[in-house]
Amino acid sequence: MKMNAEQVALTRRELANAIRALSMDAVQRANSGHPGMPMGMADIAQVLWSDFLKHNPNNPKWVDRDRFVVSNGHGSMLLYSLLHLSGYDLSIEDIKNFRQLHSKTPGHPEFGYTPGVETTTGPLGQGLSNAVGMAIAEKILAARFNRPGHSIVDHYTYVFLGDGCLMEGISHEACSLAGTLGLGKLISFWDDNSVSIDGDVSGWFTDDTPARFEAYGWHVIPNVDGHDADQVNNAIKEAQAHNHRPTLICCKTVIGWGSPNKQGSATCHGAALGEEEVALVRETIGWHYAPFEIPDGIYTQWDARVRGSNLESEWVQRFKAYKAEYPEPAGEFERRIDGELPAHWEKVVTDFIQQIEAEARSDATRKFSQSCLNAYAAVLPEMIGGSADLTGSNNTTWSGSTTLTSDPVDANYVYYGVREFAMSAVMNGIALHGGFIPYGGTFLVFSDYARNAVRMAALMGVRSIFVYTHDSIGLGEDGPTHQPVEQAASIRLIPNLSVWRPCDGVESAVAWQRAIERRQGPSALLFTRQSVAHQHRTPGQIENIKRGGYILVDTETEPSVIVIATGSEVELAVEAARHFPDEVRVVSMPSTDVFDEQDEQYKHSVLPVSVDKRIAIEAGVADYWRKYVGLTGRIIGLNSFGESAPAKDLFSHFGFNVDKVTETIANILDG
């Protein structure tokens, strides 16, 4: 039966009101949460999800689905309501358990907890930046795999974002880059409600946002009434028609729409409305149902399972036709989407490590890192690199690097510009999209700029590889502003981030290998600016590098002293140990977190409890190493910032030389 315009409008509003009701009821039950954004953006979400979003609730991982990101993640109940109503595996009981321990509906959306959640959001601006990465991934995959008459990669990335996202500096970084790259499949909805936690934003956010995005090169659709379904519908169609530029749809909304006493104010931003106000909302919006009760007719109209299955089935048929005509790229596409490495991967790694060992070359580990890229990326077309304006210093390009531009070409390298934070969040978005292993470089000291995105990568367990060069005071003349002292220890404290600080080319090759193979989380690779000496090893020692820590130099009997070193300081330990051939064991520990994961027998074989005379050496803050040397052990480290001078002079000044290590060994033996 055809509906007239009034009936259509009423139906749309009723569908949107289901979001409002579920959101305010869940927040009220938890007595915690953010009802304002879901109630304010419900009408926009209804139009997008009912009329445009390509997805399949039966298969949340369908590769050619549209991606939907709620960057203003505090409004998580909007997303949970949409997922529940449209048929994802998210029950009404899950909605009732909002913000409770081990529920599928945590306070902010978390990737891996809830079917249909594309990324973990909450730190404002990062979801938007993740979405830029997703749009980059879609663009490159389409250029790589689509063929005339065969479009197997063709989807949009939609983002909801608020004033807070736009105030965060990362939004400037990521959106500037998105405009430059012409990401036409990226469509963002700005929830322009003029309210943040502290109240009316006119006191601290008066940017001309449309002009700002036009300056970035975005297509901007201003002055859209976010509560008018027809205006929202027309805006989305216009955005899709501008497929050479990302689009910002500026939606004027009322936060907490439908709450007679709290809408339009900060009082509904981050707290339950209260039982009395919830009852008043029901009367105001005409929702005459009990808490968590959704009429069958509303469920029926929201249910996207049949439509989603049909959409995916149609794509499957298209992919079959593609595979029949182009079997080789089809197989490669499947491998990359599955995240599997090529069948000959292990042989490539083994041959390369043997080559590095045979060369016995001394060089900076950042240069060895580039050698690793030349060897590994040549067989891994899914690797997509980049640098935050330090490509020549980070050595993050390789012989097969091709630059991503606004043109639709198959590329594998992004010049991110001076945007460390956005680079890291964009990398996370690329990893979340699938089909790629992203890596990106900057100086280790600037990991501080990017830290929260690195933390989010670890929280989500995505395979992003953060390349950090100039890893110590060995940076030299640029001085303490650029010399990392606390950064290596600091990032080692991030759960689920695997950190490697290799001492030479062989350890660098293993570090890259383990980072590429690690599917359950990100890795940080720390490389030197200055040259380091090659360390000769047996095949058994090479095999043990992947265990994070291993015996590099040993005595015939149990040692009297164990010296633990990492990175460029390993060669100091090895040189000093030669003065004590029967007493000193040198342990190279390129990755403390990997070593800590080993079984107790192995760890005790490397660091026997019977040997309590221990020394740790690292050109960074000293106290991190107490866990390995104990309170009575010695640490040759730093307790201050660096200085501006050539690296050789700095190492001598701060005691990172063979004489200092030899003296420390002698003292601990005498003690």
Side-chain angles (χ1 to χ4, degrees), residues 107-186:
H108 290 80
E110 293 189 39
F111 175 73
Y113 266 65
T114 316
V117 170
E118 299 285 2
T119 181
T120 300
T121 57
L124 295 177
Q126 284 202 62
L128 172 59
S129 304
N130 296 159
V132 172
M134 294 174 186
I136 287 174
E138 191 275 343
K139 179 175 181 172
I140 298 176
L141 278 179
R144 169 66 180 86
F145 289 103
N146 288 349
R147 298 290 187 275
H150 296 274
S151 182
I152 62 168
V153 181
D154 183 11
H155 52 266
Y156 287 90
T157 302
Y158 297 101
V159 191
F160 278 13
L161 57 96
D163 293 324
C165 291
L166 295 179
M167 284 185 254
E168 287 285 0
I170 191 174
S171 73
H172 296 262
E173 296 182 25
C175 293
S176 171
L177 181 65
T180 299
L181 296 178
L183 301 178
K185 294 288 191 70
L186 175 64

Coordinates of all heavy atoms in Angstrom, one line a residue, residues 107-186:
G107 N 30.2 1.3 27.4 CA 29.8 2.7 27.4 C 30.2 3.4 26.2 O 29.5 4.4 25.8
H108 N 31.3 3.1 25.5 CA 31.6 3.6 24.2 C 31.8 2.4 23.3 O 32.1 1.3 23.7 CB 32.9 4.4 24.2 CG 32.8 5.7 25.0 ND1 32.8 5.8 26.3 CD2 32.6 7.0 24.5 CE1 32.6 7.1 26.7 NE2 32.5 7.8 25.6
P109 N 31.5 2.6 22.0 CA 31.6 1.4 21.1 C 33.0 0.8 21.1 O 34.0 1.6 21.0 CB 31.2 2.0 19.7 CG 30.5 3.3 20.0 CD 31.1 3.8 21.3
E110 N 33.1 -0.5 21.2 CA 34.4 -1.2 21.2 C 34.4 -2.2 20.1 O 33.6 -3.1 20.1 CB 34.6 -1.8 22.5 CG 34.8 -0.8 23.6 CD 35.3 -1.4 24.9 OE1 36.1 -2.3 24.9 OE2 34.9 -1.0 26.0
F111 N 35.4 -2.1 19.2 CA 35.6 -3.1 18.1 C 35.8 -4.4 18.7 O 36.7 -4.6 19.6 CB 36.8 -2.6 17.3 CG 37.1 -3.6 16.2 CD1 36.3 -3.8 15.1 CD2 38.3 -4.4 16.3 CE1 36.7 -4.7 14.1 CE2 38.6 -5.3 15.4 CZ 37.8 -5.4 14.2
G112 N 35.1 -5.5 18.3 CA 35.3 -6.8 18.7 C 34.3 -7.2 19.8 O 34.2 -8.4 20.1
Y113 N 33.6 -6.3 20.5 CA 32.7 -6.6 21.5 C 31.3 -6.7 20.9 O 30.5 -7.6 21.3 CB 32.6 -5.4 22.5 CG 33.5 -5.6 23.7 CD1 34.8 -5.6 23.6 CD2 32.9 -5.7 25.0 CE1 35.7 -5.8 24.7 CE2 33.7 -5.9 26.1 CZ 35.1 -5.9 26.0 OH 35.9 -6.1 27.1
T114 N 30.9 -5.9 19.9 CA 29.6 -5.8 19.5 C 29.5 -6.0 18.0 O 30.2 -5.3 17.2 CB 29.0 -4.4 19.8 OG1 29.3 -4.1 21.1 CG2 27.5 -4.4 19.6
P115 N 28.8 -7.0 17.4 CA 28.7 -7.2 16.0 C 28.2 -5.9 15.3 O 27.2 -5.3 15.7 CB 27.6 -8.3 15.8 CG 27.6 -9.0 17.2 CD 27.9 -7.9 18.2
G116 N 28.9 -5.5 14.3 CA 28.5 -4.3 13.6 C 29.3 -3.0 14.0 O 29.2 -2.0 13.3
V117 N 30.0 -3.1 15.1 CA 30.8 -1.9 15.5 C 32.1 -2.0 14.7 O 32.9 -2.9 14.8 CB 31.1 -1.9 17.0 CG1 32.1 -0.9 17.4 CG2 29.8 -1.7 17.7
E118 N 32.4 -0.9 13.9 CA 33.5 -1.0 13.0 C 34.8 -0.5 13.6 O 35.9 -0.9 13.2 CB 33.2 0.0 11.8 CG 32.0 -0.4 10.9 CD 32.3 -1.6 10.0 OE1 33.4 -2.2 10.1 OE2 31.4 -2.0 9.3
T119 N 34.7 0.3 14.7 CA 35.9 0.8 15.3 C 35.6 1.2 16.7 O 34.4 1.6 17.0 CB 36.6 2.0 14.5 OG1 37.8 2.4 15.2 CG2 35.6 3.1 14.4
T120 N 36.6 1.2 17.6 CA 36.4 1.7 19.0 C 36.5 3.3 18.9 O 37.5 3.8 18.4 CB 37.5 1.2 19.9 OG1 37.4 -0.3 19.9 CG2 37.3 1.7 21.3
T121 N 35.5 3.9 19.4 CA 35.5 5.4 19.5 C 35.2 5.9 20.8 O 34.7 5.1 21.7 CB 34.5 5.9 18.5 OG1 33.2 5.4 18.7 CG2 34.8 5.6 17.0
G122 N 35.4 7.1 21.1 CA 35.2 7.8 22.4 C 36.2 8.9 22.5 O 35.8 10.0 22.7
P123 N 37.5 8.7 22.3 CA 38.5 9.8 22.2 C 38.1 10.6 21.0 O 38.3 10.1 19.9 CB 39.8 9.1 22.1 CG 39.6 7.7 22.7 CD 38.2 7.4 22.3
L124 N 37.6 11.8 21.1 CA 36.9 12.5 20.0 C 37.9 12.8 18.9 O 39.1 13.1 19.1 CB 36.3 13.7 20.6 CG 35.1 13.5 21.5 CD1 34.6 14.8 22.1 CD2 34.0 12.7 20.9
G125 N 37.4 12.7 17.7 CA 38.2 13.0 16.5 C 38.8 11.7 15.9 O 39.1 11.7 14.7
Q126 N 39.0 10.7 16.7 CA 39.7 9.5 16.2 C 38.9 8.7 15.3 O 39.3 8.1 14.3 CB 40.3 8.7 17.4 CG 41.5 9.3 17.9 CD 42.4 8.3 18.7 OE1 42.9 7.4 18.1 NE2 42.6 8.5 20.0
G127 N 37.6 8.6 15.6 CA 36.7 7.8 14.7 C 36.7 8.4 13.3 O 36.7 7.7 12.3
L128 N 36.6 9.8 13.3 CA 36.6 10.5 12.0 C 37.9 10.1 11.3 O 38.0 9.9 10.1 CB 36.5 12.0 12.3 CG 36.7 12.9 11.1 CD1 35.7 12.7 10.0 CD2 36.6 14.4 11.6
S129 N 39.0 10.1 12.0 CA 40.3 9.8 11.4 C 40.4 8.4 11.0 O 41.0 8.0 9.9 CB 41.5 10.1 12.4 OG 41.4 11.5 12.8
N130 N 39.9 7.5 11.8 CA 39.8 6.1 11.3 C 39.0 5.9 10.0 O 39.4 5.2 9.1 CB 39.0 5.2 12.4 CG 39.7 5.1 13.7 OD1 39.1 4.8 14.7 ND2 41.0 5.3 13.7
A131 N 37.9 6.7 9.9 CA 37.1 6.7 8.7 C 37.9 7.2 7.5 O 37.7 6.6 6.4 CB 35.8 7.6 8.9
V132 N 38.8 8.1 7.7 CA 39.6 8.6 6.6 C 40.5 7.4 6.1 O 40.6 7.1 4.9 CB 40.5 9.7 7.0 CG1 41.6 10.1 5.9 CG2 39.7 11.0 7.3
G133 N 41.0 6.6 7.1 CA 41.8 5.4 6.7 C 40.9 4.4 6.0 O 41.4 3.8 5.0
M134 N 39.7 4.2 6.4 CA 38.8 3.2 5.7 C 38.5 3.7 4.3 O 38.5 2.9 3.4 CB 37.5 3.1 6.5 CG 37.6 2.5 7.9 SD 36.1 2.5 8.8 CE 36.6 1.9 10.4
A135 N 38.3 5.0 4.1 CA 38.1 5.5 2.8 C 39.3 5.4 1.9 O 39.2 5.1 0.7 CB 37.6 7.0 2.8
I136 N 40.5 5.6 2.5 CA 41.7 5.3 1.7 C 41.8 3.9 1.3 O 42.2 3.6 0.1 CB 43.0 5.7 2.6 CG1 43.1 7.2 2.7 CG2 44.2 5.1 2.0 CD1 44.2 7.7 3.6
A137 N 41.5 3.0 2.2 CA 41.6 1.5 1.9 C 40.6 1.2 0.8 O 41.0 0.4 -0.2 CB 41.3 0.7 3.1
E138 N 39.4 1.7 0.8 CA 38.4 1.4 -0.2 C 38.9 1.9 -1.6 O 38.8 1.2 -2.6 CB 37.1 2.1 0.1 CG 35.9 1.6 -0.7 CD 35.8 2.4 -2.0 OE1 36.4 3.5 -2.2 OE2 35.1 1.9 -3.0
K139 N 39.5 3.1 -1.6 CA 39.9 3.7 -2.8 C 41.0 2.9 -3.5 O 41.0 2.7 -4.7 CB 40.4 5.2 -2.5 CG 40.9 5.9 -3.7 CD 41.3 7.4 -3.4 CE 41.8 8.1 -4.7 NZ 41.9 9.5 -4.4
I140 N 42.0 2.5 -2.7 CA 43.2 1.8 -3.2 C 42.7 0.4 -3.7 O 43.2 -0.1 -4.7 CB 44.3 1.7 -2.2 CG1 44.8 3.2 -1.9 CG2 45.5 0.9 -2.8 CD1 45.9 3.2 -0.9
L141 N 41.9 -0.3 -2.8 CA 41.5 -1.6 -3.2 C 40.7 -1.6 -4.5 O 40.8 -2.5 -5.4 CB 40.6 -2.2 -2.1 CG 41.4 -2.9 -0.9 CD1 40.3 -3.4 0.1 CD2 42.3 -4.0 -1.4
A142 N 39.8 -0.6 -4.7 CA 39.0 -0.5 -5.9 C 40.0 -0.3 -7.1 O 39.8 -0.9 -8.2 CB 38.1 0.7 -5.8
A143 N 41.0 0.6 -6.9 CA 41.9 0.8 -8.0 C 42.7 -0.4 -8.4 O 43.0 -0.7 -9.5 CB 42.8 2.0 -7.7
R144 N 43.0 -1.2 -7.4 CA 43.8 -2.4 -7.6 C 43.0 -3.6 -8.2 O 43.5 -4.2 -9.1 CB 44.4 -2.8 -6.2 CG 45.1 -4.2 -6.2 CD 46.3 -4.3 -7.1 NE 46.9 -5.6 -7.1 CZ 46.6 -6.6 -7.9 NH1 45.6 -6.4 -8.8 NH2 47.2 -7.7 -7.8
F145 N 41.8 -3.8 -7.7 CA 41.1 -5.0 -8.1 C 39.9 -4.8 -9.1 O 39.6 -5.8 -9.8 CB 40.6 -5.7 -6.8 CG 41.7 -6.3 -6.0 CD1 42.2 -5.7 -4.9 CD2 42.4 -7.5 -6.4 CE1 43.2 -6.3 -4.1 CE2 43.4 -8.0 -5.7 CZ 43.8 -7.4 -4.5
N146 N 39.3 -3.7 -9.1 CA 38.2 -3.6 -10.0 C 38.6 -3.6 -11.5 O 39.7 -3.2 -11.8 CB 37.4 -2.2 -9.8 CG 36.6 -2.3 -8.5 OD1 36.5 -3.3 -7.9 ND2 36.1 -1.1 -8.1
R147 N 37.8 -4.2 -12.3 CA 38.1 -4.3 -13.7 C 36.8 -3.7 -14.5 O 35.7 -3.7 -14.0 CB 38.3 -5.7 -14.1 CG 39.5 -6.4 -13.5 CD 40.8 -5.8 -14.0 NE 42.0 -6.5 -13.5 CZ 42.6 -6.3 -12.3 NH1 42.1 -5.4 -11.5 NH2 43.7 -7.0 -12.0
P148 N 37.0 -3.4 -15.8 CA 35.8 -2.9 -16.5 C 34.7 -3.9 -16.5 O 34.9 -5.1 -16.8 CB 36.4 -2.8 -17.9 CG 37.9 -2.5 -17.7 CD 38.3 -3.3 -16.5
G149 N 33.6 -3.5 -16.1 CA 32.4 -4.4 -16.0 C 32.4 -5.2 -14.7 O 31.5 -6.0 -14.5
H150 N 33.4 -5.1 -13.8 CA 33.5 -5.9 -12.6 C 33.9 -5.0 -11.5 O 35.1 -4.7 -11.3 CB 34.5 -7.0 -12.7 CG 34.1 -8.0 -13.8 ND1 33.3 -9.1 -13.5 CD2 34.5 -8.1 -15.1 CE1 33.2 -9.8 -14.6 NE2 33.9 -9.3 -15.6
S151 N 32.9 -4.5 -10.7 CA 33.2 -3.6 -9.6 C 32.9 -4.4 -8.3 O 31.8 -4.5 -7.8 CB 32.3 -2.4 -9.6 OG 32.5 -1.5 -8.6
I152 N 34.0 -5.0 -7.8 CA 33.9 -5.8 -6.5 C 34.2 -5.0 -5.3 O 33.9 -5.4 -4.2 CB 34.8 -7.0 -6.6 CG1 36.3 -6.6 -6.7 CG2 34.4 -7.9 -7.8 CD1 37.2 -7.8 -6.4
V153 N 34.8 -3.8 -5.4 CA 35.0 -2.9 -4.3 C 34.3 -1.6 -4.6 O 34.8 -0.8 -5.5 CB 36.5 -2.7 -4.0 CG1 36.7 -1.8 -2.8 CG2 37.2 -4.0 -3.8
D154 N 33.2 -1.3 -3.9 CA 32.4 -0.1 -4.2 C 31.5 0.2 -3.0 O 30.4 -0.2 -3.0 CB 31.6 -0.3 -5.5 CG 30.8 1.0 -5.8 OD1 31.1 2.0 -5.3 OD2 30.0 0.9 -6.7
H155 N 32.1 0.8 -2.0 CA 31.3 1.2 -0.8 C 31.7 2.5 -0.2 O 32.7 3.0 -0.5 CB 31.4 0.0 0.2 CG 32.8 -0.3 0.6 ND1 33.5 -1.4 0.0 CD2 33.7 0.2 1.5 CE1 34.7 -1.4 0.5 NE2 34.8 -0.5 1.4
Y156 N 30.8 3.0 0.6 CA 31.0 4.3 1.2 C 31.4 4.1 2.7 O 31.2 3.1 3.3 CB 29.7 5.1 1.2 CG 29.3 5.7 -0.1 CD1 28.5 4.9 -1.0 CD2 29.8 6.9 -0.5 CE1 28.1 5.4 -2.2 CE2 29.4 7.4 -1.8 CZ 28.6 6.7 -2.6 OH 28.2 7.2 -3.9
T157 N 32.0 5.2 3.2 CA 32.3 5.3 4.6 C 31.5 6.5 5.1 O 31.7 7.6 4.7 CB 33.8 5.5 4.9 OG1 34.5 4.4 4.4 CG2 34.1 5.6 6.4
Y158 N 30.6 6.3 6.1 CA 29.8 7.3 6.7 C 30.2 7.6 8.1 O 30.5 6.6 8.8 CB 28.3 6.9 6.7 CG 27.7 6.7 5.3 CD1 27.5 5.4 4.8 CD2 27.3 7.8 4.5 CE1 27.0 5.2 3.5 CE2 26.7 7.6 3.3 CZ 26.6 6.3 2.8 OH 26.0 6.1 1.5
V159 N 30.3 8.8 8.5 CA 30.7 9.2 9.8 C 29.7 10.1 10.5 O 29.3 11.1 9.9 CB 32.1 9.9 9.8 CG1 32.7 10.0 11.2 CG2 33.1 9.2 8.9
F160 N 29.4 9.8 11.7 CA 28.7 10.8 12.6 C 29.7 11.5 13.5 O 30.6 10.8 14.1 CB 27.6 10.1 13.4 CG 26.3 9.9 12.7 CD1 26.2 10.0 11.4 CD2 25.2 9.5 13.5 CE1 25.0 9.7 10.7 CE2 24.0 9.2 12.8 CZ 23.9 9.4 11.5
L161 N 29.7 12.8 13.6 CA 30.7 13.5 14.4 C 30.0 14.7 15.0 O 29.0 15.2 14.5 CB 31.9 13.9 13.6 CG 31.7 14.8 12.4 CD1 31.9 16.2 12.7 CD2 32.6 14.3 11.2
G162 N 30.6 15.2 16.1 CA 30.0 16.3 16.8 C 31.0 17.4 16.9 O 32.1 17.4 16.4
D163 N 30.6 18.5 17.7 CA 31.4 19.6 17.9 C 32.8 19.3 18.5 O 33.8 19.8 18.2 CB 30.7 20.7 18.8 CG 29.5 21.3 18.1 OD1 29.5 21.5 16.9 OD2 28.5 21.5 18.8
G164 N 32.7 18.3 19.4 CA 33.9 17.9 20.1 C 34.9 17.3 19.2 O 36.2 17.6 19.3
C165 N 34.5 16.5 18.2 CA 35.4 15.9 17.2 C 36.1 17.0 16.5 O 37.3 16.9 16.1 CB 34.6 15.0 16.3 SG 34.0 13.5 17.0
L166 N 35.3 18.1 16.1 CA 35.9 19.1 15.3 C 36.8 20.0 16.1 O 37.7 20.7 15.5 CB 34.8 19.9 14.7 CG 33.9 19.2 13.7 CD1 32.8 20.0 13.1 CD2 34.8 18.6 12.5
M167 N 36.6 20.1 17.4 CA 37.6 20.9 18.2 C 38.9 20.2 18.4 O 39.9 20.8 18.6 CB 36.9 21.2 19.6 CG 35.9 22.2 19.6 SD 35.3 22.6 21.2 CE 33.7 21.9 21.2
E168 N 38.9 18.9 18.4 CA 40.2 18.1 18.6 C 41.1 18.4 17.4 O 40.7 18.4 16.2 CB 39.9 16.6 18.7 CG 39.3 16.2 20.0 CD 40.3 16.2 21.2 OE1 41.4 16.6 21.0 OE2 39.8 15.9 22.3
G169 N 42.4 18.6 17.7 CA 43.3 18.9 16.6 C 43.5 17.8 15.6 O 43.7 18.1 14.4
I170 N 43.2 16.6 16.0 CA 43.4 15.5 15.0 C 42.4 15.6 13.9 O 42.7 15.2 12.7 CB 43.2 14.1 15.7 CG1 43.6 13.0 14.8 CG2 41.8 13.9 16.2 CD1 43.6 11.6 15.5
S171 N 41.2 16.3 14.1 CA 40.3 16.4 13.0 C 40.9 17.3 11.9 O 40.6 17.1 10.7 CB 39.0 17.0 13.5 OG 39.1 18.4 13.9
H172 N 41.6 18.3 12.3 CA 42.3 19.2 11.3 C 43.3 18.4 10.5 O 43.3 18.5 9.3 CB 43.0 20.4 12.0 CG 42.0 21.3 12.8 ND1 41.6 22.5 12.2 CD2 41.5 21.2 14.0 CE1 40.8 23.1 13.1 NE2 40.7 22.3 14.2
E173 N 44.1 17.6 11.2 CA 45.1 16.8 10.5 C 44.4 15.9 9.5 O 44.8 15.8 8.3 CB 45.9 16.0 11.5 CG 46.7 16.8 12.5 CD 47.5 15.9 13.4 OE1 47.8 14.8 13.0 OE2 47.9 16.3 14.5
A174 N 43.5 15.1 10.0 CA 42.9 14.0 9.1 C 42.0 14.6 8.0 O 42.1 14.1 6.9 CB 42.1 13.1 10.0
C175 N 41.2 15.6 8.3 CA 40.3 16.2 7.3 C 41.1 16.9 6.2 O 40.7 16.9 5.0 CB 39.3 17.0 7.9 SG 38.1 16.0 9.0
S176 N 42.2 17.6 6.6 CA 43.0 18.3 5.6 C 43.6 17.2 4.6 O 43.6 17.4 3.4 CB 44.1 19.0 6.3 OG 45.1 19.5 5.4
L177 N 44.1 16.1 5.1 CA 44.6 15.1 4.3 C 43.5 14.4 3.4 O 43.7 14.2 2.2 CB 45.2 14.0 5.2 CG 45.9 12.8 4.4 CD1 47.1 13.2 3.6 CD2 46.3 11.7 5.4
A178 N 42.3 14.2 4.0 CA 41.2 13.6 3.2 C 40.8 14.5 2.0 O 40.5 14.0 0.9 CB 40.0 13.4 4.1
G179 N 40.8 15.8 2.2 CA 40.5 16.7 1.1 C 41.6 16.6 0.0 O 41.3 16.6 -1.2
T180 N 42.8 16.6 0.4 CA 43.9 16.5 -0.5 C 43.9 15.3 -1.3 O 44.2 15.3 -2.6 CB 45.3 16.6 0.2 OG1 45.4 17.9 0.9 CG2 46.5 16.5 -0.8
L181 N 43.5 14.2 -0.7 CA 43.5 12.9 -1.4 C 42.2 12.6 -2.1 O 42.0 11.6 -2.8 CB 43.7 11.7 -0.4 CG 45.1 11.7 0.3 CD1 45.1 10.6 1.3 CD2 46.2 11.6 -0.7
G182 N 41.2 13.6 -2.1 CA 40.0 13.4 -2.8 C 39.2 12.2 -2.5 O 38.8 11.5 -3.4
L183 N 38.9 11.9 -1.2 CA 38.3 10.7 -0.8 C 36.8 10.9 -1.0 O 36.0 11.1 0.0 CB 38.6 10.4 0.6 CG 40.1 10.2 0.9 CD1 40.4 9.9 2.4 CD2 40.7 9.1 0.0
G184 N 36.3 10.7 -2.2 CA 34.9 11.0 -2.5 C 33.9 10.0 -1.9 O 32.7 10.3 -1.9
K185 N 34.3 8.9 -1.4 CA 33.4 7.9 -0.8 C 33.3 8.1 0.7 O 32.7 7.3 1.4 CB 33.9 6.5 -1.1 CG 33.9 6.1 -2.5 CD 32.4 5.9 -3.0 CE 32.4 5.2 -4.3 NZ 32.8 3.8 -4.3
L186 N 33.8 9.3 1.2 CA 33.8 9.6 2.6 C 32.7 10.7 2.8 O 32.8 11.8 2.3 CB 35.1 10.1 3.1 CG 35.2 10.6 4.6 CD1 34.9 9.5 5.6 CD2 36.6 11.2 4.9

